[in-house]
Amino acid sequence: MGQIEWAMWANEQALAAGLIMLTGGIVAVAGQFKGWYFAAYAIVAGVLVCLLEYPRSKRKKGSTMERCGQKYLTAVVKVFGPLTRNYYIRAILHAALAVPAGFLLSTILGTVCLGIASGIYLLAAVRGEEWRPIEQKPRERPHVGDTIKQPPSNPPPRPPADTRKKQPAEVGGQVNPIPVEAE
């Protein structure tokens, strides 16, 4: 078995935590909870975490499924350079963003999830992982001459290869029992 890439787990956990924190903040602000300013903070922090975590990192081995529309946010994350690539910085950032949202009941679940994501990012950083963008490889279009090996010999419509009649030369010297006369 290969080694676990902890950053992939942390990415999914942090994205879910951002969505949970955003939802809890919206509920608290809409419900006019006591301490609604913590909820307003949770909305802003949840959006920030979701924007940072939406682009997936490229895996070391194998293929990585890119999220829909990820390439636009990948460009933004790449602009910030080592601040967003380094998982030590992400771990500290997520831990710091989680603390103020923990003072309100509706956002505490997002806080706990973000704290767990912070711990997983710390583990990924200790193991030497870092965020790498998924680069799109330009597709090479096959040349028409390379795709056609042998042009068809009989005109269309052609029956499938296994049901075609064998030609007299292929039969092994047998002659057609019904002679065909040319006019």
Side-chain angles (χ1 to χ4, degrees), residues 26-66:
I26 290 171
V27 166
V29 168
Q32 299 175 346
F33 285 16
K34 197 176 202 180
W36 62 270
Y37 39 87
F38 288 118
Y41 166 81
I43 292 171
V44 173
V47 167
L48 180 68
V49 168
C50 288
L51 290 176
L52 178 64
E53 295 298 330
Y54 190 73
R56 283 187 176 135
S57 175
K58 183 179 179 183
R59 297 179 65 191
K60 288 182 183 176
K61 291 182 179 177
S63 63
T64 307
M65 285 292 294
E66 189 177 33

Side-chain angles (χ1 to χ4, degrees), residues 117-135:
S118 174
I120 299 171
Y121 267 133
L122 187 60
L123 178 63
V126 167
R127 294 189 176 244
E129 297 178 32
E130 96 169 352
W131 187 86
R132 291 171 296 153
I134 299 174
E135 302 288 334

Side-chain angles (χ1 to χ4, degrees), residues 96-120:
L97 286 174
V99 172
F103 293 112
L104 193 59
L105 186 60
S106 65
T107 59
I108 195 135
L109 180 62
T111 299
V112 171
C113 291
L114 199 56
I116 291 169
S118 174
I120 299 171

Side-chain angles (χ1 to χ4, degrees), residues 66-123:
E66 189 177 33
R67 288 190 174 114
C68 182
Q70 172 178 330
K71 59 185 172 186
Y72 305 111
L73 286 175
T74 298
V76 173
V77 172
K78 280 172 47 176
V79 166
F80 289 103
L83 290 176
T84 54
R85 266 198 318 257
N86 191 331
Y87 287 147
Y88 283 113
I89 294 173
R90 281 197 188 193
I92 293 167
L93 176 69
H94 289 331
L97 286 174
V99 172
F103 293 112
L104 193 59
L105 186 60
S106 65
T107 59
I108 195 135
L109 180 62
T111 299
V112 171
C113 291
L114 199 56
I116 291 169
S118 174
I120 299 171
Y121 267 133
L122 187 60
L123 178 63

